[in-house]
Amino acid sequence: MRRIYLLIMILCGSCLFLQAQSHLRFASAFTDNLVFQQKSQVKVWGYASPRSSLRVIASWNEREEIVKADTSGKWMIELTTPAGSYQTYELSIADSEQTVVLKNICVGEVWFCSGQSNMEMIMRNDPQWRLYVDNANEEIAAADYPAIRFITIQRNESFTALDEVLTEGWQVCSPQTVGGLSAVGYYFARKLLSSLDVPVGLVVDAYGGSPIQSWIPYAETLKPLYKAEHETLQEAVEKGKEKPEYNMLSSLYNAMVHPLIDYKIRGWLWYQGEANVGDAGRYVSMMKDLVNSWRKRWKAKLPFYYVQIAPFQYPGYQKEKWAELAEAQFVALQTISNAGMVVTADLGDSTNIHPGKKKPVGERLALIALSDTYHQKIKCQSPALKRLVLEQGKLRAEFDFAYNGLRLEGDYHEFEISSDGMTYYKATVEIKDSYVWLSSPKVPSPCYVRYGWRDTCVSTLYNSENLPLGPFKASIDI
């Protein structure tokens, strides 16, 4: 009986949807102030009367294109965009009765910013939730960047893939608007703008507290790895819930990502993982499913740049599990092509899961993008362990991406060594170029090393580009 009721509801909803599309409009992702990806074939879509013939004109070439709405009233057209510049454009669509015009359009670079609360966290401080961006007031007052544009997708969940997102549309970055922009996104865009000298558009599509499972398309989860999530989802359906919870399988992909898979972007920025602390064993596989499925939906092997979560003193079942999740994120980097990871082990706040140091996060993401996507000669990688050997009673660790050498910030460090991999002791550290020697009178025959392996880690080892070492564990047989 319940299934019949749900079917009736779906059919009624479909009828209402078709009725709502009878007037001419662009889809919700297309508004004044938007940014199109430069030098690309971009898709634009919307709704009109079923089977109506429509005329589309983009002011960058003034050529009239004809498109026809389908039987449901949806229309879609591909347009070729010019090279990015600070010139603004208009885009119009018309039927036999009316014309709808989008104004103040820019063409440049578009990035999709997703994840949970540390990506969602805006520039404006929110004392109620202890959300404080460093130097927020000064940064907001100076944020006069009309070539940075952003659209924030509102939180929403769905059992099935939707056609539209909830949003108030594209905004131009200014002291009046930037307070509502993702802080990580803002600092990323600002760095890109100064380096590329073309407009930057951000699609901010994040949801605080969300696990990675919520962002993966349902079709990619039909495997034993997601057995528990499927059971939870089925239970919600059987209880007749109108909507799933934000932490249920595919719920955020359906409502917040799927409607945008035809929007042309340069790549993705991802800051997520806190909700999966304590579940590191599955995270690499789930992250691969996320990236592969998004690339499949966008029909492009786009770059995927992400943030390794910052240290925080987790409570309950997540206690002392931060390093395991952070390590899983590093392992994922070795298995996902065209990807990059920002280390933030020096930026955490042990008492606040939302650290205020968002500027270096956004700028480090931008360094990777400028290097790997825009092919600028930039040193953008954090140090990474290359080799570990025992040498005259000391462990000698060699690191990739030391560049012009490693250094400690102050006397404190996070290195510990062990002979059995169970009991660790603080190591004495000697550094030269890309090498670190580790020893302790308590460990005459060291075989194991770990770095930053605790929730309240504070990384102090940097390369010459001021990029920190992240947490790791290793033994001399690597």
Side-chain angles (χ1 to χ4, degrees):
M1 188 68 181
R2 178 176 294 143
R3 291 182 179 178
I4 296 174
Y5 173 76
L6 288 174
L7 179 60
I8 293 171
M9 291 296 292
I10 291 171
L11 292 173
C12 290
S14 299
C15 292
L16 291 173
F17 177 79
L18 291 176
Q19 292 174 15
Q21 307 317 317
S22 61
H23 64 284
L24 182 64
R25 69 177 181 89
F26 288 91
S28 59
F30 300 94
T31 70
D32 292 347
N33 308 316
L34 70 82
V35 181
F36 281 128
Q37 180 62 40
Q38 66 171 327
K39 295 184 284 188
S40 299
Q41 292 293 114
V42 301
K43 292 180 179 179
V44 182
W45 64 94
Y47 304 93
S49 297
R51 299 188 180 88
S52 57
S53 183
L54 310 166
R55 304 182 308 279
V56 178
I57 299 177
S59 68
W60 55 79
N61 62 20
E62 295 295 344
R63 185 167 59 244
E64 182 176 276
E65 308 275 0
I66 303 299
V67 62
K68 191 170 183 179
D70 64 19
T71 55
S72 72
K74 184 174 182 178
W75 56 267
M76 178 179 285
I77 191 169
E78 275 197 4
L79 303 172
T80 302
T81 56
S85 72
Y86 296 116
Q87 183 175 350
T88 57
Y89 303 98
E90 293 185 355
L91 178 64
S92 67
I93 186 161
D95 58 16
S96 59
E97 298 180 355
Q98 61 178 318
T99 300
V100 179
V101 182
L102 300 182
K103 300 178 180 180
N104 196 33
I105 293 171
C106 279
V107 176
E109 293 296 298
V110 182
W111 287 83
F112 192 97
C113 310
S114 192
Q116 55 183 109
S117 54
N118 273 304
M119 180 63 83
E120 188 180 37
M121 185 172 165
I122 59 177
M123 289 292 294
R124 183 174 56 250
N125 289 335
D126 186 345
Q128 179 182 355
W129 295 99
R130 296 182 65 222
L131 301 176
Y132 299 99
V133 174
D134 287 4
N135 304 313
N137 293 336
E138 295 86 346
E139 293 282 8
I140 288 172
D144 187 16
Y145 293 98
I148 295 176
R149 313 290 181 86
F150 64 97
I151 180 173
T152 300
I153 307 306
Q154 296 175 12
R155 292 180 173 188
N156 194 20
E157 314 86 20
S158 177
F159 283 117
T160 57
L162 303 182
D163 291 311
E164 286 275 55
V165 291
L166 302 177
T167 180
E168 295 181 358
W170 286 84
Q171 298 185 67
V172 177
C173 180
S174 71
Q176 291 71 44
T177 63
V178 74
L181 172 57
S182 160
V184 169
Y186 170 66
Y187 289 119
F188 171 85
R190 196 172 73 176
K191 183 75 172 176
L192 242 59
L193 176 64
S194 68
S195 298
L196 302 177
D197 199 29
V198 294
V200 178
L202 302 175
V203 180
V204 182
D205 199 319
Y207 198 127
S210 58
I212 194 170
Q213 298 95 310
S214 302
W215 297 97
I216 302 173
Y218 185 83
E220 306 298 321
T221 69
L222 302 177
K223 57 183 75 173
L225 183 69
Y226 301 96
K227 182 176 183 293
E229 285 78 12
H230 278 287
E231 291 174 352
T232 300
L233 189 66
Q234 182 62 31
E235 183 179 345
V237 172
E238 291 176 353
K239 288 182 177 179
K241 287 183 176 283
E242 183 180 344
K243 296 173 68 173
E245 299 294 330
Y246 71 92
N247 58 357
M248 289 183 179
L249 194 64
S250 308
S251 62
L252 304 186
Y253 171 82
N254 287 337
M256 299 176 65
V257 177
H258 180 80
L260 299 173
I261 59 175
D262 286 314
Y263 199 98
K264 188 75 172 184
I265 59 174
R266 174 63 77 183
W268 299 285
L269 306 179
W270 177 254
Y271 193 163
Q272 190 278 336
E274 297 90 345
N276 290 95
V277 170
D279 193 16
R282 296 193 299 162
Y283 197 81
V284 175
S285 295
M286 293 191 292
M287 195 167 183
K288 289 169 64 177
D289 286 342
L290 175 86
V291 177
N292 291 338
S293 66
W294 284 17
R295 286 175 173 169
K296 185 186 302 182
R297 268 65 179 178
W298 261 272
K299 298 182 175 68
K301 194 176 179 180
L302 300 174
F304 186 88
Y305 302 140
Y306 62 97
V307 180
Q308 186 181 50
I309 59 172
F312 169 69
Q313 183 63 73
Y314 285 87
Y317 76 94
Q318 293 182 311
K319 187 174 182 180
E320 295 305 328
K321 299 292 185 181
W322 164 78
E324 294 177 3
L325 196 285
E327 183 186 46
Q329 291 179 313
F330 177 77
V331 172
L333 186 63
Q334 318 310 311
T335 62
I336 299 173
S337 62
N338 197 16
M341 185 187 78
V342 164
V343 174
T344 63
D346 61 329
L347 303 176
D349 182 338
S350 63
T351 67
N352 193 336
I353 200 170
H354 306 109
K357 298 174 182 176
K358 291 296 187 280
K359 183 177 180 180
V361 179
E363 291 186 343
R364 289 173 187 177
L365 282 168
L367 289 177
I368 295 176
L370 290 170
S371 169
D372 295 0
T373 298
Y374 301 107
H375 310 297
Q376 295 187 6
K377 294 182 178 179
I378 292 175
K379 298 172 181 176
C380 63
Q381 301 293 333
S382 277
L385 183 66
K386 179 181 181 180
R387 188 176 293 110
L388 185 68
V389 297
L390 183 62
E391 186 179 83
Q392 297 180 346
K394 298 180 180 180
L395 288 178
R396 188 189 70 189
E398 182 183 359
F399 290 86
D400 279 326
F401 309 115
Y403 300 123
N404 294 328
L406 300 171
R407 65 176 178 84
L408 274 179
E409 185 78 26
D411 297 327
Y412 176 81
H413 68 80
E414 290 278 347
F415 283 105
E416 298 173 298
I417 58 176
S418 171
S419 59
D420 60 6
M422 299 177 64
T423 304
Y424 283 83
Y425 297 92
K426 199 77 170 179
T428 297
V429 173
E430 304 167 65
I431 299 174
K432 184 178 180 181
D433 300 327
S434 61
Y435 294 93
V436 177
W437 284 267
L438 304 166
S439 62
S440 170
K442 296 180 179 180
V443 190
S445 301
C447 297
Y448 300 85
V449 60
R450 67 184 185 186
Y451 180 85
W453 209 259
R454 59 194 186 94
D455 282 357
T456 55
C457 154
V458 181
S459 183
T460 57
L461 186 77
Y462 292 85
N463 61 21
S464 58
E465 305 305 305
N466 292 319
L467 297 171
L469 176 63
F472 72 89
K473 291 177 77 172
S475 61
I476 58 174
D477 60 354
I478 65 170

